[in-house]
Amino acid sequence: EPEVTQTPSHQVTQMGQEVILRCVPISNHLYFYWYRQILGQKVEFLVSFYNNEISEKSEIFDDQFSVERPDGSNFTLKIRSTKLEDSAMYFCASTGSLYEQYFGPGTRLTVT
Amino acid sequence: KNQVEQSPQSLIILEGKNCTLQCNYTVSPFSNLRWYKQDTGRGPVSLTIMTFSENTKSNGRYTATLDADTKQSSLHITASQLSDSASYICVVSSGGSYIPTFGRGTSLIVHP
């Protein structure tokens, strides 16, 4: 069964450093999303992406964040200058049908 | 402000027993409501998706109900298994804007 994959599974970085989180959505899906989940808290929407551009973004998704689909398979989330409060699980998801979303296993980002 | 409230926050039941989880929302206008199962350290997995016109949907031992008038949903788990131990998350999306509103989840523990 096709699945969303994410790399790395765990990323440790120092405050102020740039990180790129990578996702490979399911191949025939057209809508892509990033979410984050701070430990012990609820999942929060960051951004949705369709047709090579951002379609929706939350207040969390400020100028420090960017997304890109550099080729036909990868979907990346970049954090330019990480802060301690960026430590969280980051989930990528993709959608084929109207509402069904498939989530990846997540990348745990630890900012020290 | 769109909100999704879930209850109880946590629940412990014995294997084989049934349980019901609740979700109340204030999201408007309503588009769809989804229930997810999230194992610890993993991405959410979709259980059911309901739109305005649907009031019951089943997926194996999981049955979700939706009352769009009272803005309430429930997830009923029949004959619980140890593998049902997870967080169950209610997510509501509004029409016109994709951005979903997540509940905090109900943590279910099934004991043998």
Side-chain angles (χ1 to χ4, degrees):
Chain A
E1 186 175 335
E3 59 182 13
V4 176
T5 60
Q6 290 185 244
T7 55
S9 57
H10 190 191
Q11 172 94 44
V12 181
T13 189
Q14 289 190 329
M15 197 167 51
Q17 296 296 304
E18 174 183 286
V19 294
I20 297 176
L21 309 183
R22 291 182 167 79
C23 168
V24 179
I26 295 174
S27 62
N28 60 347
H29 286 184
L30 299 176
Y31 294 84
F32 315 113
Y33 313 88
W34 282 103
Y35 298 87
R36 80 172 185 190
Q37 186 174 30
I38 295 170
L39 186 62
Q41 298 189 23
K42 63 180 181 178
V43 176
E44 300 172 291
F45 169 80
L46 293 178
V47 65
S48 60
F49 192 86
Y50 170 72
N51 201 25
N52 285 323
E53 61 182 27
I54 291 172
S55 47
E56 300 268 9
K57 62 181 181 179
S58 71
E59 293 174 352
I60 303 167
F61 194 88
D62 61 21
D63 292 344
Q64 291 299 309
F65 291 88
S66 63
V67 288
E68 203 175 41
R69 188 157 163 81
D71 53 43
S73 60
N74 289 286
F75 180 50
T76 63
L77 174 69
K78 181 192 292 186
I79 309 175
R80 289 188 180 80
S81 178
T82 50
K83 303 187 280 282
L84 293 176
E85 53 264 38
D86 292 328
S87 295
M89 276 293 271
Y90 288 81
F91 294 107
C92 172
S94 67
T95 299
S97 63
L98 189 56
Y99 305 122
E100 183 74 68
Q101 279 199 5
Y102 294 84
F103 282 77
T107 291
R108 179 170 297 284
L109 176 65
T110 302
V111 182
T112 61
Chain B
K1 182 180 177 183
N2 291 335
Q3 287 190 319
V4 174
E5 300 292 337
Q6 292 188 243
S7 62
Q9 184 176 350
S10 61
L11 183 62
I12 299 174
I13 62 174
L14 292 177
E15 187 179 12
K17 297 297 185 182
N18 304 334
C19 65
T20 300
L21 315 180
Q22 301 291 342
C23 172
N24 297 337
Y25 61 92
T26 60
V27 177
S28 183
F30 175 84
S31 173
N32 66 85
L33 184 147
R34 290 167 277 161
W35 282 95
Y36 287 92
K37 177 186 179 187
Q38 185 179 26
D39 292 312
T40 302
R42 306 289 297 173
V45 174
S46 180
L47 296 176
T48 63
I49 303 168
M50 287 185 292
T51 58
F52 184 86
S53 59
E54 298 172 296
N55 54 28
T56 302
K57 185 159 282 187
S58 292
N59 177 4
R61 295 180 295 103
Y62 302 102
T63 299
T65 65
L66 173 65
D67 186 333
D69 292 331
T70 62
K71 299 186 177 181
Q72 295 179 327
S73 176
S74 66
L75 180 69
H76 186 75
I77 304 174
T78 304
S80 60
Q81 300 175 357
L82 298 179
S83 59
D84 291 333
S85 296
S87 180
Y88 290 84
I89 304 172
C90 176
V91 183
V92 184
S93 293
S94 64
S97 168
Y98 164 72
I99 298 178
T101 303
F102 283 73
R104 292 189 173 275
T106 291
S107 176
L108 175 66
I109 298 174
V110 180
H111 279 164

